[in-house]
Amino acid sequence: MADLSHTLDILRTLVAFPTVSSDSNLALIAWVEEYLDAHQVPHWRVNESASKSSVLARIGPDMGGGIVLSGHTDVVPVKDQPWLTDPFTLTERDGHFYGRGTSDMKSFLALALAHVPLFQASGKTVWLAFSHDEEIGCLGAAPMAEALVQRGADPSLVVIGEPTMMQLIGAHKGILSFETIITGREAHSSMPQQGVNAVMLMGELLVTLNRIATSARATTDVDFAAVTPYASVHVGVIEGGTARNIIPRHCRIAWEVRPLPGTDVAALLAPFHAQVETLRAAMQAVDPQCSIVTNQLTNVRGLQKSGDDAPHLAHACRLASANRADAVAFGTEGGIFQGYGLPTIVCGPGSIDQAHQPNEFITREQLERGAEFMVRVGE
């Protein structure tokens, strides 16, 4: 059984930093830097702003190869969630450790930091890449991947420590999120011919998105058979209108596509954009000031499956004591690192079922398995 006392001390500290994506993570970054300084590990801030930063550190010699241990420092909000304990205080009960970020994904960061002395003793090169703002679109991943490339890291493996129950993940879907805003023309509800009803027009776009979602189910990927084996389209927010007796001028939806790694998203959404053009022409025939605007909010790249004989996959299997890599429906920063030519897998302690939930927890058993993984990295 692994000695987790040092890991738990670090996890307790990391959880206490309320690094919700809407707030600063600089206090956590500063603490990590002090910890690295105490171990004489060189480090650099990446993509630093007035309130956010990532941190990159190199343990061992400055040479090619090595392993990158990557994770994000931000967490999702706790507002309006029915927590039974303080979400920013690590609380142990019956072999479970509760707190925001315990599964997603500060436990992986704590395990990596706790094993810094082991990595140093090994003489191997291990990079720590702790990013910001993953939860709102993986905003820190591309600058981090660029920093690794610019420093000539050329790792043999990048491990994204998202919660997978320490199962090896070699492929995942992407995430593209959008908002569509219709601006129509207000009028009295007794004279609809004088207005342009933004809500009812949005209804036509919703029907189109629903048809796209249905048709997408016909194209499946056997690698994703255990999860959702097709690209999904989902509308999560709709808002608009002023009162029952006013033709609404505004309507907005927030929606997303979770494509398979091989999905042609432009072709998938072509019917939606064609419908937008048709509706726009009809609206502007009534009032040229009317408009339909779609803004892309995020674009998280999917992780493409590597060949079974890929060297980095064999390496990852040894570290995770696995004989294969599976696929998952949720997205990570992995596809972004892969897009920079870095061989990437996803593997970390904790369950995705706990991510974003009230009373989020990680078990002692998962922390022990994570510690075993880190020991193998050091070996």
Side-chain angles (χ1 to χ4, degrees):
M1 182 178 295
D3 181 5
L4 297 176
S5 57
H6 190 31
T7 297
L8 288 171
D9 286 343
I10 296 173
L11 180 59
R12 186 172 293 107
T13 298
L14 297 181
V15 167
F17 290 107
T19 51
V20 176
S21 301
S22 58
D23 301 326
S24 175
N25 76 333
L26 292 181
L28 182 150
I29 294 297
W31 185 88
V32 170
E33 290 172 328
E34 291 178 5
Y35 179 90
L36 295 172
D37 287 339
H39 290 84
Q40 298 182 319
V41 173
H43 54 81
W44 308 268
R45 289 196 177 192
V46 177
N47 203 37
E48 184 178 11
S49 69
S51 62
K52 299 290 179 72
S53 183
S54 302
V55 63
L56 176 64
R58 189 195 71 246
I59 304 160
D62 185 7
M63 56 186 293
I67 294 176
V68 177
L69 302 176
S70 179
H72 61 85
T73 61
D74 60 317
V75 297
V76 297
V78 299
K79 184 179 179 181
D80 297 328
Q81 289 190 333
W83 282 78
L84 300 178
T85 61
D86 180 351
F88 297 111
T89 298
L90 189 68
T91 303
E92 181 181 7
R93 187 169 67 249
D94 299 326
H96 294 58
F97 297 90
Y98 294 85
R100 175 55 90 220
T102 48
S103 272
D104 187 21
M105 55 175 293
K106 290 181 175 179
S107 289
F108 182 81
L109 307 185
L111 284 161
L113 290 169
H115 286 82
V116 164
L118 175 65
F119 301 152
Q120 289 177 312
S122 74
K124 307 287 182 61
T125 301
V126 178
W127 296 83
L128 304 182
F130 297 171
S131 65
H132 66 85
D133 287 340
E134 185 271 350
E135 298 289 3
I136 55 174
C138 297
L139 303 185
M144 183 65 79
E146 289 178 5
L148 281 164
V149 172
Q150 290 170 359
R151 290 191 172 275
D154 191 26
S156 59
L157 180 66
V158 176
V159 180
I160 309 295
E162 289 281 1
T164 68
M165 297 293 286
M166 294 308 299
Q167 301 301 305
L168 199 60
I169 303 302
H172 65 66
K173 290 185 173 183
I175 309 171
L176 291 88
S177 63
F178 306 88
E179 64 173 5
T180 297
I181 303 167
I182 296 183
T183 302
R185 180 179 177 180
E186 288 177 328
H188 193 286
S189 62
S190 67
M191 295 176 284
Q193 71 279 8
Q194 295 184 3
V196 176
N197 192 315
V199 170
M200 294 185 73
L201 290 172
M202 187 67 81
E204 297 188 40
L205 290 182
L206 291 172
V207 170
T208 300
L209 286 174
N210 198 40
R211 288 173 178 162
I212 291 171
T214 300
S215 65
R217 297 180 183 182
T219 303
T220 60
D221 185 332
V222 66
D223 291 326
F224 289 81
V227 285
T228 308
Y230 48 81
S232 61
V233 180
H234 157 78
V235 178
V237 175
I238 180 168
E239 50 195 16
T242 303
R244 174 188 55 79
N245 57 355
I246 300 175
I247 301 296
R249 183 170 184 263
H250 287 292
C251 191
R252 173 186 175 273
I253 59 172
W255 55 287
E256 70 172 21
V257 180
R258 293 197 176 234
L260 296 164
T263 300
D264 184 340
V265 176
L268 180 71
L269 296 181
F272 173 82
H273 295 299
Q275 178 76 335
V276 165
E277 292 305 315
T278 299
L279 294 179
R280 181 185 287 119
M283 295 168 64
Q284 293 181 345
V286 178
D287 185 343
Q289 300 301 312
C290 294
S291 65
I292 305 179
V293 176
T294 296
N295 300 313
Q296 182 167 322
L297 305 178
T298 61
N299 185 2
V300 178
R301 183 171 179 158
L303 181 64
Q304 295 270 3
K305 180 182 178 181
S306 301
D308 292 339
D309 58 348
H312 80 277
L313 185 57
H315 190 183
C317 284
R318 289 193 295 272
L319 292 176
S321 294
N323 55 18
R324 72 179 193 280
D326 296 321
V328 292
F330 62 85
T332 78
E333 297 176 323
I336 297 173
F337 280 87
Q338 187 183 61
Y340 281 82
L342 302 173
T344 304
I345 58 93
V346 183
C347 186
S351 170
I352 195 64
D353 293 339
Q354 286 301 314
H356 305 186
Q357 298 296 315
N359 306 307
E360 177 184 354
F361 68 82
I362 192 167
T363 64
R364 179 177 290 274
E365 180 269 343
Q366 280 294 297
L367 289 171
E368 289 175 347
R369 290 188 60 185
E372 292 167 1
F373 182 96
M374 296 298 171
V375 169
R376 294 188 196 103
V377 171
E379 292 172 346

